[in-house]
Amino acid sequence: MNRLDQLRQFMNDDPDDPFNRYALALEYIKSDTTQAAALFDELMQKHPDYLPTYYHAGNLFEALGNRDKAIDILQKGITLAQQQREFKALRELQSVLSELLYD
């Protein structure tokens, strides 16, 4: 069983665990960005409080040329990081957003 198959199985076994969908999305970034984007969209819809999603989703949508969506995702992630008092994630999200806005 390859890594993608294993991660799909984990997601199928426990579809309510956001980490399983997140890990699968990260793996798909390497081979199928369309599928990765769809998984990140699902994560933000079904698990909007799962903070790790926002950094990678913002980067992916920016790389796919969807700058406005990337900015929106990063801004939502910043708000969430502030609410959750996750200051390392906050700094990382702010850094990516600053590069995107001022590049």
Side-chain angles (χ1 to χ4, degrees), residues 3-66:
R3 181 139 173 88
L4 273 173
D5 290 337
Q6 186 178 29
L7 291 169
R8 275 194 221 88
Q9 186 62 49
F10 290 153
M11 193 177 78
N12 290 336
D13 290 346
D14 191 0
D16 294 326
D17 182 349
F19 179 77
N20 292 332
R21 194 172 308 273
Y22 171 75
L24 185 57
L26 290 180
E27 190 65 24
Y28 267 122
I29 287 174
K30 301 172 191 175
S31 62
D32 186 346
T33 55
T34 301
Q35 185 63 34
L39 287 165
F40 281 131
D41 281 335
E42 288 176 24
L43 265 167
M44 290 182 288
Q45 198 171 61
K46 294 179 180 181
H47 304 281
D49 292 337
Y50 193 68
L51 184 57
T53 303
Y54 293 87
Y55 177 85
H56 293 287
N59 280 321
L60 175 62
F61 283 101
E62 191 272 331
L64 293 174
N66 196 337

Side-chain angles (χ1 to χ4, degrees), residues 51 78-90:
L51 184 57
I78 287 167
T79 299
L80 183 61
Q82 290 169 331
Q83 291 169 350
Q84 293 181 0
R85 303 183 56 80
E86 293 287 345
F87 299 113
K88 183 175 186 264
L90 176 62

